[in-house]
Each structure stands twice: as structure tokens, then as C-alpha cells.
Amino acid sequence: MAAPIRKSHPLFSIANGALVDLPTPANISTLWNFGSLLGLCLVVQIATGLFLAMHYTADITLAFSSVAHICRDVNYGWLLRATHANGASFFFICLYSHIGRGIYYGSFLYMHTWSVGVIILFLVIATAFLGYVLPWGQMSFWGATVITNLMSAIPFLGTDLVQWIWGGFAVHNATLTRFFTFHFLLPFIVAAATMVHILFLHQTGSNNPLGVSSQLEKVPFHPYFSFKDIVGFMVMLMALILLTLLNPYLLGDPDNFIPANPLVTPAHIQPEWYFLFAYAILRSIPNKLGGVIALVMSVAILFVLPFTHKAKFRSLSFYPLNQFMFWTLVTIVVLLTWIGARKVEDPYILTGQILTGAYFLFYLINPLTLLIWDKLMD
Amino acid sequence: MLSYIGRSCQLAPALKGSVQAVASGLKNAAPVTTQVRYAHSDIQVPDFSAYRRSDVQDPRTKSGESAASRTAFTYMLVGGGTVSGIYAAKSIVTEFISSMAASADVLALAKIEIKMDDIPEGKSITFQWRGKPLFVRHRTDDEIATEGAVDVASLRDPETDEQRCPDSKWLVVLGVCTHLGCVPIADAGDFGGYYCPCHGSHYDGAGRIRKGPAPLNLEIPPYEFQGDLLVVG
């Protein structure tokens, strides 16, 4: 009997291998939904971004008013803008949940998949940063100034590098136009990297909550997880729609409704919520270069995880102490997010420094605790 | 899955037997599964009653009796969900496509008002309307008489002067040559109207093509008179 077309057709067989006949562990939980949700977020951001780009002007004299024009004049422009802005927040909610699942269940042991995933994280962080500059409000401008100035901490090359990034002596028109170019380009690189990420994942198959081999208990992706993913899409889209339609500026900064003024710095510069934990880490180190290194390491430390795992079991399902430590890490990140939004004064300075230390300490203590627990259980 | 082993043909008589035993021995007991697994272990068949619909909670009832109502409910849910999904998809597509249509600021400039008192008799003034030049000519009586006497049948694009100028004093035309889109020059050409320098089209005092390569008369936009204002668009 001839094979069904989904298996024999050169193009359909690729889709079939990823979405229909893909052998999937039967016991993967809702935390495994965040991968597909990230794909949905990317599609939403690219679609809304594409249509926003039709009306946006990347020029410092026109950018702010072009965003106002989109919100006020363009048909459904208000909806496109609000969806794109809040879609970025949901992108990071899904990212952090996806990474948290990876840390908790030891998914990072799929080294290639994990490494590409951390690269995607850096790309999305860059994309979000570049995108936030485009409305050319006060927070856009000063956020761009502060973060690009970080590069000046690099010895020898720093100042030249920063002026090269700026295309001038300060954040100005040249900076805005190139930021728009890269904000447009990077999501497509993210899409390509995502395909590589999935390619590597499908070499091994998905992990599962037990962290043991699931080879004996696989089910086809369709219909079980295709429908489960669709339910996840509906839940996330409902949340996005509710936020976008009921309180679209809840997560925004009022200062970004003021056009950029290079001569006046706002009293409280802060990035969007999803960068606050890293911002707190940056500000906790009194040394300029040290702060920059700590900022980069707060994300790059994820690369190190596969090399620190020496436990007998893959996931934390059987390590209660480490589960507690994991949730302590989550709490630390939430508290760092809070600190990142506070002024640089007592008691927040010391609190931020302690939390920064605790954050990095987790990555040291966690594998050691796993080893000790294994020895105790032996 | 191991449970399928119990449904194979060879084992059917044994399976039926065990169903009989369950049915006769436990008439008044709580609902139990009639499924039997011939597994080489003590695996217990899980209780799926939390997932069952109320009509088929009791394994002794015939599922065929409630099949129609259960199917109808499912179909209603699927049908309703499909209709909602199609409506949502249509709304999303409409939203994206209409975002590319003319925005409110463009539509706001789609109409312009011109004070007629600002245009002396015998003069043609050019305005910008929807990104294109608009010629407004305050015609003299001589011009009106000349255009009214033209043999319409001989025109390439036959239109009477009355058709083109409801108020004969005012000629309102788009200043875009119907040949290839250049802007004609006012008060030029052989027919007392407009002349297009690009390829030599001559238009008369009613904006009708009289000589040259242009196929049609100059386009007349929608307009109306509101008191002393000419509103175009």
C-alpha cells in the first residue's frame, strides 16, 4: 500500500515529522506548551510589526508623531500598536517560563538545543531593546543612551565602539534609522534560529517531567499535543487580548509619552519590566565594567548549565531541596525585578547587591546540592 | 497499548464471560469498568469516570441510547467554535488589510473648500486636492458661449459644456493630462483652455481634449457649491 502523502511528499513530510507523527512523550505537562506559544508570539510580533512598519517613519523629527499617527489615524492602528507592545511582554513571559522549565527539568542536557536557545534569547533581548527605542519617547532615547553607553566600558575600544554604534557623537538620527533596520531584520534571524533549535530538539525528542527515558511511552504529536497546543494558544491569546483591549499601557512607562529630549534626563530611567532583573544586577556592581560583565553574565550563565549537571537524575522531580532552591531563584529574580524599578538609594542598594550575589550563587550551589543529595540517598 | 490485547478476536469469548460475571455478581455495586487486560502484571485499569459524560457513567447502560444527544452536543460545540473561529479569523484579516487603507488624516484632506470670491473672473487657479493639482477656472461669458457652440459630435470624448459645468461660470477639473499624467499649462494651447507640454495635448475652455494624443477630457472631480464656498471631494 502506498504511503500517505504526508509521509511521501518531500515538503509535507517535513511538516509531518514535526507536527503530526512526531513521537512525543505522553507525560509532558503544560510547561511544555511554552515552546509553541513562543512560536505564536513570534508570528504575532512579525505580523503586527510588518503592518506597523508600513506607517512608521524612522526619523527623529517624525518618529514620535508617526506613532501617534498610527494610534489615531491609521485604521486599527491603535490595535496594531497595543498588540505589538503587549505582545513583547507576553514573548518574555513565555521565554522565562520556557527557560524555567528547562532549568527545572534538566532539559539543558540537550546541549545543542539549549545553546541555540540561549542564542535565541539574546537575539530576542536585542530585538526588544531596539524596538523600544523606535517610538522616540523620553524613555526610548535615554534607555538607548544608557545601554549603548555600556559599551564604553570595554577597554581600549569602548569609546570608538559606542560612537560607531551611534553613528555619531550621541544617540541621534543615524542611531534611530539603523535601530529600525536591525529591529526589522532580527526577528527573521530568530525564526531561522528557531528552526535550528527545533532541528536539534527533534534529534533527541522532547524531555519529560520525570526526566527518565520516555522511549517506551510515546504518543503521536497529533492529535494529543496539536490540540493541547491549540488550547494553549487560546489561553495566551485571551490574556493578550484582555490586556491589549482593557489596559494597554499597564506595563508601559508614562515618560514615553513625552517626545525625546537630549537635554533633559527623566528622574527615573528604567527599562521595561522584562529587563528589570538584569538592570538591577547591572546597578548592583559599583564598577562600570564589572556591572556590564555582570549584566551579560546574568543571561550568559545559562550556557554553563549543561556542564554543571552531575546529578543521577535529570530533573528536579526527585530532589526536594533543589526544588526549594529553584523556587528561591524564581523569587530572587522577581525581587531583582522589583529592585530594578526602585531608585538607587538605601535600602535598595544593599538589597540589590545581596540578591545579585544570591542569583549567581544559585548556579554554584544547585549542582553541589544535587551531588550531596545523591550521596545522602545512596 | 496493552489494553488492546483484550479486544482481540481470540479472546472475545473469555472477555464476554468476564463481563457476564461482573454484571451478575455486582448488580447494585458502584459502576466498575468492564474492560479486562491480559497483562502480565498487576496493572489496574484506571477509573475514567471523571472524564465520562453523565449519560455514560454507568457502564451497564447502552451507549447507543445517548449517542444522538452526545453527538449533537459535540457537534454544537464544534460548530459554534468553528463559526467563532472563522469570524475571528475574518476580523483579524480585515483589521490587517484595512490598516493599509487611507488613514483618518488622509481622509480628512479628501475634501477641500475653496472661497470662490478669491478667484477673479477670467482666471484659473491651481489647488492641491488628494495629492493632485486641481484647476478652478472662473469663466467669462465669452468663454461660456464659445464652449457651448462646439460641435460635440466631432469631439474625441463627446461631452457637452452643460454636462461638464453644471454652473457654467465655474470649470472644476483635475490638472492631470489623460495621456500620461503630466500637468497641463493653464491659458495655453490652441483652444483657449489648457496645453500639455509633455506630448502636445490641447484642451479647450471646458477641459475637453481637442488636439493631441490624450484620449479623454480632463477628469471632473465630485464637487458642490455651498454658499460662497466650492467644496471639492
Side-chain angles (χ1 to χ4, degrees):
Chain A
M1 203 162 113
I5 193 168
R6 74 174 194 277
K7 293 191 191 186
S8 57
H9 190 277
L11 194 59
F12 294 160
S13 61
I14 297 172
N16 178 62
L19 296 167
V20 181
D21 287 336
L22 173 72
T24 315
N27 61 329
I28 53 174
S29 66
T30 307
L31 288 170
W32 267 254
N33 275 55
F34 287 103
S36 59
L37 285 175
L38 282 164
L40 177 66
C41 285
L42 185 63
V43 167
V44 168
Q45 291 302 92
I46 288 177
T48 53
L50 220 59
F51 281 83
L52 284 170
M54 293 179 192
H55 303 277
Y56 173 76
T57 307
D59 182 279
I60 56 171
T61 57
L62 294 169
F64 188 88
S65 55
S66 73
V67 174
H69 159 71
I70 287 168
C71 291
R72 289 165 185 265
D73 295 331
V74 173
N75 299 307
Y76 296 107
W78 57 272
L79 185 56
L80 287 172
R81 196 267 174 111
T83 306
H84 197 71
N86 289 300
S89 285
F90 275 82
F91 209 130
F92 279 92
I93 291 171
C94 292
L95 267 172
Y96 294 148
S97 304
H98 190 66
I99 293 166
R101 183 283 313 268
I103 296 174
Y104 189 97
Y105 292 107
S107 303
F108 50 77
L109 289 178
Y110 292 148
M111 273 202 354
H112 297 100
T113 310
W114 181 259
S115 305
V116 175
V118 180
I119 290 170
I120 293 173
L121 174 62
F122 274 111
L123 287 172
V124 174
I125 286 171
T127 308
F129 163 70
L130 295 169
Y132 193 67
V133 178
L134 302 183
W136 210 244
Q138 273 287 66
M139 214 44 84
S140 305
F141 179 89
W142 290 102
T145 302
V146 166
I147 298 302
T148 48
N149 261 321
L150 292 176
M151 302 292 128
S152 64
I154 298 169
F156 306 111
L157 301 167
T159 311
D160 289 335
L161 182 64
V162 173
Q163 290 185 358
W164 176 74
I165 291 172
W166 285 340
F169 300 107
V171 171
H172 204 57
N173 200 61
T175 322
L176 179 61
T177 50
R178 63 192 57 186
F179 275 24
F180 178 53
T181 304
F182 283 107
H183 182 70
F184 198 112
L185 175 68
L186 278 180
F188 298 105
I189 298 179
V190 168
T194 301
M195 288 185 224
V196 174
H197 183 65
I198 293 171
L199 178 87
F200 279 126
L201 176 68
H202 288 181
Q203 299 298 306
T204 55
S206 291
N207 190 14
N208 72 89
L210 291 172
V212 298
S213 172
S214 58
Q215 294 295 86
L216 293 176
E217 194 71 40
K218 300 274 198 192
V219 295
F221 187 86
H222 178 70
Y224 299 102
F225 295 104
S226 51
F227 280 108
K228 189 174 184 183
D229 278 354
I230 288 171
V231 171
F233 291 173
M234 288 183 193
V235 170
M236 198 199 79
L237 285 173
M238 180 55 80
L240 176 61
I241 287 167
L242 282 173
L243 185 64
T244 301
L245 296 181
L246 295 178
N247 203 341
Y249 299 112
L250 177 71
L251 302 173
D253 195 307
D255 270 325
N256 230 26
F257 281 91
I258 302 168
N261 185 348
L263 303 177
V264 175
T265 307
H268 307 290
I269 302 182
Q270 65 183 57
E272 289 287 272
W273 69 269
Y274 38 80
F275 290 151
L276 286 173
F277 81 97
Y279 192 57
I281 290 172
L282 167 76
R283 296 192 304 186
S284 292
I285 314 289
N287 177 273
K288 185 176 177 184
L289 182 60
V292 173
I293 291 171
L295 172 74
V296 174
M297 283 312 299
S298 66
V299 176
I301 199 159
L302 293 172
F303 277 120
V304 157
L305 272 175
F307 303 99
T308 59
H309 186 84
K310 306 289 177 207
K312 281 196 180 140
F313 289 102
R314 181 175 192 163
S315 88
L316 300 186
S317 298
F318 308 111
Y319 295 95
L321 200 54
N322 291 82
Q323 290 178 13
F324 176 79
M325 286 169 59
F326 172 85
W327 291 110
T328 305
L329 175 73
V330 172
T331 309
I332 289 168
V333 172
V334 170
L335 290 173
L336 278 169
T337 301
W338 164 63
I339 291 288
R342 300 274 72 78
K343 282 193 220 176
V344 185
E345 57 188 24
D346 290 320
Y348 306 118
I349 300 174
L350 185 63
T351 312
Q353 287 169 336
I354 292 170
L355 288 169
T356 299
Y359 174 82
F360 285 106
L361 216 55
F362 166 85
Y363 294 98
L364 180 66
I365 305 272
N366 187 58
L368 290 173
T369 311
L370 285 168
L371 274 171
I372 293 167
W373 189 267
D374 277 336
K375 283 203 163 44
L376 285 174
M377 290 297 115
D378 260 342
Chain B
M1 299 291 282
L2 292 172
S3 60
Y4 285 92
I5 299 171
R7 293 185 191 156
S8 64
C9 295
Q10 300 100 313
L11 297 163
L15 183 59
K16 254 207 294 202
S18 55
V19 166
Q20 293 278 347
V22 166
S24 57
L26 296 163
K27 273 196 186 112
N28 297 319
V32 296
T33 178
T34 56
Q35 203 181 53
V36 174
R37 289 183 174 185
Y38 289 87
H40 299 289
S41 72
D42 294 329
I43 299 170
Q44 296 297 311
V45 177
D47 176 22
F48 293 110
S49 47
Y51 295 90
R52 288 174 170 272
R53 297 192 196 181
S54 51
D55 285 338
V56 288
Q57 280 286 352
D58 184 353
R60 287 165 295 198
T61 56
K62 289 194 172 125
S63 62
E65 287 165 14
S66 59
S69 71
R70 282 185 288 118
T71 310
F73 176 76
T74 300
Y75 281 11
M76 239 176 34
L77 232 52
V78 170
T82 305
V83 168
S84 308
I86 291 171
Y87 179 73
K90 171 240 165 204
S91 301
I92 289 169
V93 171
T94 308
E95 168 206 315
F96 279 112
I97 290 175
S98 57
S99 77
M100 292 174 68
S103 53
D105 59 327
V106 169
L107 293 174
L109 292 173
K111 253 187 186 172
I112 58 167
E113 294 173 349
I114 297 162
K115 279 197 190 135
M116 296 189 294
D117 295 340
D118 290 345
I119 307 174
E121 197 174 275
K123 282 276 182 238
S124 178
I125 297 192
T126 306
F127 299 91
Q128 190 178 39
W129 176 73
R130 296 187 181 178
K132 290 174 252 189
L134 180 80
F135 296 153
V136 180
R137 190 187 194 90
H138 189 171
R139 301 198 300 179
T140 61
D141 292 334
D142 287 340
E143 283 169 357
I144 296 166
T146 307
E147 300 312 325
V150 167
D151 176 20
V152 174
S154 67
L155 295 173
R156 183 177 301 160
D157 183 8
E159 276 186 309
T160 64
D161 189 55
E162 289 76 22
Q163 282 174 300
R164 292 182 61 77
C165 303
D167 181 340
S168 56
K169 275 283 179 192
W170 295 97
L171 172 69
V172 181
V173 289
L174 277 184
V176 178
C177 181
T178 59
H179 180 227
L180 289 173
C182 294
V183 180
I185 302 165
D187 298 314
D190 299 342
F191 296 88
Y194 302 89
Y195 171 71
C196 181
C198 286
H199 306 100
S201 295
H202 297 252
Y203 298 89
D204 63 16
R208 295 175 293 196
I209 182 64
R210 300 296 290 274
K211 191 163 110 177
L216 298 170
N217 301 331
L218 292 176
E219 187 184 336
I220 295 182
Y223 66 88
E224 59 181 8
F225 297 99
Q226 291 176 4
D228 62 346
L229 284 178
L230 167 65
V231 178
V232 182

